[in-house]
Amino acid sequence: MWIILTYDINEKRVDKIRKISLQYLIRIQNSVFIGDIGWASLRILKERLKKEIVESEDSIQFFILRDEKLVKRIKLGVSYEFSNII
Amino acid sequence: MWIILTYDINEKRVDKIRKISLQYLIRIQNSVFIGDIGWASLRILKERLKKEIVESEDSIQFFILRDEKLVKRIKLGVSYEFSNII
C-alpha cells in the first residue's frame, strides 16, 4: 500500500528517526515521507520507530492508503524528493 | 473531499501560513493539517498560501482524497488535534 508518514520529534532523537524512515520511504519535506510499503515492512517500521521515540514528547502519524492512485498531490514552492540518501 | 496539508516554511513566514491554514483545516502536528474541504475552499486556500510563500524557499504539499474513509490513520506518541484555535 501507499503511506504518508509525518513526525514531530525532539531534536535529540530526530536524526535517528529520520534515518530509520529513510530505509523504508522517500523524504519529501523535513518531516514528511511517502512511499509504497507492504504490511510486514510497515509493521517493522512502526515497531522500530516506537522503540526510539518518547511517547509523551514525540509524535508520529501514518496515513495509509490502499493505492497511490487514490490520492491527488499538489505541490507549491520547492519540491525535492530525496531518494534514500541519508 | 478530505485533505492533508504539510509544509516547510521559513520561520519569517510560518506564522502567517499557519494562521491561514487554521482557517480551513485542523492542525495535528507542527506543520501538518487535515480536514474536509470543498473544491472552492481548497482553491482559495491554495491561492492565499501561494501569495505568502517564497517559492524558491518554502514548500507546501496537499494530499487530496475523495473521502476520509480511504485512509487509515495510525498515531504513535503525542496526539493533539487543535480545533481552529490560533
Side-chain angles (χ1 to χ4, degrees), chain A residues 2 4 6-8 28-32 34 39 42 45-47 49-50 53-66 70-81, chain B residues 2 4 6-8 28-32 34 39 42 45-47 49-50 53-66 70-81:
Chain A
W2 191 82
I4 306 166
T6 67
Y7 58 59
D8 274 348
I28 61 161
Q29 280 177 345
N30 263 333
S31 56
V32 182
I34 59 171
W39 275 111
L42 177 58
L45 172 60
K46 211 175 70 183
E47 291 309 313
L49 294 174
K50 208 170 174 177
I53 63 171
V54 172
E55 301 224 6
S56 60
E57 291 182 21
D58 302 325
S59 167
I60 298 178
Q61 300 226 8
F62 298 85
F63 299 92
I64 304 165
L65 288 151
R66 215 179 49 236
L70 298 171
V71 68
K72 181 178 153 71
R73 219 168 130 204
I74 297 174
K75 304 174 203 173
L76 300 182
V78 182
S79 175
Y80 55 82
E81 307 229 340
Chain B
W2 193 81
I4 306 166
T6 66
Y7 58 59
D8 274 347
I28 59 161
Q29 281 178 343
N30 263 333
S31 56
V32 182
I34 59 171
W39 275 113
L42 177 59
L45 172 59
K46 210 176 71 182
E47 290 309 312
L49 294 174
K50 206 171 175 178
I53 65 171
V54 173
E55 301 225 4
S56 59
E57 291 182 22
D58 302 325
S59 166
I60 298 178
Q61 300 226 6
F62 299 85
F63 299 92
I64 304 164
L65 288 151
R66 215 179 48 235
L70 298 172
V71 69
K72 181 179 153 68
R73 220 169 128 202
I74 297 174
K75 305 174 202 173
L76 301 182
V78 184
S79 175
Y80 54 84
E81 307 229 342

